[in-house]
Amino acid sequence: MISVTELRNGTKVEMDGGLWECLEYSHLKMGRGGAKVVTKFRNMETGSIVDRTFNSGEKLQDIYVEGKKMQYLYKDGADYVFMDLDTYDQVHLPPALVGDAAKFMKENTDVEVAMYGDKALNITLPNQVILKITQTDPGVRGDTVSGGTKPATLETGAVVQVPLFVEQGTDVKVDTRTGQYLSRA
């Protein structure tokens, strides 16, 4: 148990039957009343955000979220199959949990999966991945009205804006946090 005055950004707690991460907190001291802690929490399972106010003496149950190294193997129907690199156990995760990370995951990609007990909470990709361009239009010399970029479809199905000189079949580095082209690989 931790006191609400010990909350910091990123602290993970269990409250109201769910798992929550503290996004913001502030300590308020009223003139005559007791001190209060105003917080903003994000539900780690659903992603919803709530504002809560606590009296300074209240306590919350803190939790330990473990980050496990896993490797994406393949897609089985709607689910994504990952292998724990320590125990070689295979885990099926639903598309709702994988989310937008699926746009940049190809087979044998190593990821970090946040686990609470046996329950997966979210997936973190490496900051940069190397993917092959499967389809893009040829760049026309002198066509720089649009800023000098063109759309390109990657091997995972994601579409990113690339410079005009990048051709089909080229391996490119993509930032998984923003979905932007970084460089040729």
Side-chain angles (χ1 to χ4, degrees):
M1 300 288 281
I2 62 169
S3 172
V4 293
T5 58
E6 297 171 9
L7 285 175
R8 300 292 176 257
N9 294 346
T11 304
K12 294 164 181 64
V13 297
E14 186 174 2
M15 106 183 136
D16 298 336
L19 305 175
W20 299 83
E21 178 180 11
C22 181
L23 300 177
E24 296 176 14
Y25 70 96
S26 62
H27 190 81
L28 294 177
K29 174 67 175 119
M30 301 291 193
R32 291 181 64 154
K36 300 213 180 276
V37 178
V38 179
T39 60
K40 184 180 283 190
F41 282 101
R42 180 180 58 85
N43 189 313
M44 296 174 66
E45 297 158 316
T46 63
S48 62
I49 296 176
V50 298
D51 293 325
R52 294 282 303 262
T53 302
F54 298 98
N55 292 324
S56 63
E58 293 185 51
K59 295 198 178 289
L60 295 172
Q61 178 65 47
D62 61 336
I63 61 172
Y64 175 68
V65 176
E66 177 185 8
K68 282 192 168 188
K69 284 288 229 189
M70 293 194 175
Q71 186 177 64
Y72 170 61
L73 297 178
Y74 58 92
K75 189 169 180 180
D76 181 25
D79 290 347
Y80 294 88
V81 180
F82 292 86
M83 178 180 66
D84 188 336
L85 293 176
D86 294 330
T87 63
Y88 302 109
D89 291 336
Q90 291 187 7
V91 179
H92 291 256
L93 299 179
L97 188 106
V98 175
D100 289 339
K103 294 190 304 189
F104 302 109
M105 278 190 331
K106 65 179 184 177
E107 294 174 349
N108 301 325
T109 301
D110 290 341
V111 298
E112 181 96 11
V113 179
M115 303 283 287
Y116 176 64
D118 292 337
K119 187 175 190 178
L121 299 176
N122 64 15
I123 291 175
T124 306
L125 288 171
N127 292 341
Q128 301 172 0
V129 293
I130 297 174
L131 298 170
K132 184 178 289 300
I133 294 178
T134 57
Q135 194 281 323
T136 187
D137 296 330
V140 178
R141 185 178 178 105
D143 182 19
T144 58
V145 173
S146 63
T149 62
K150 61 184 178 180
T153 304
L154 304 174
E155 61 186 303
T156 59
V159 177
V160 297
Q161 294 291 322
V162 298
L164 293 173
F165 61 84
V166 177
E167 299 174 359
Q168 185 169 325
T170 305
D171 288 339
V172 294
K173 265 189 204 176
V174 178
D175 187 338
T176 58
R177 297 165 294 186
T178 61
Q180 292 181 338
Y181 163 86
L182 295 175
S183 68
R184 288 187 284 187

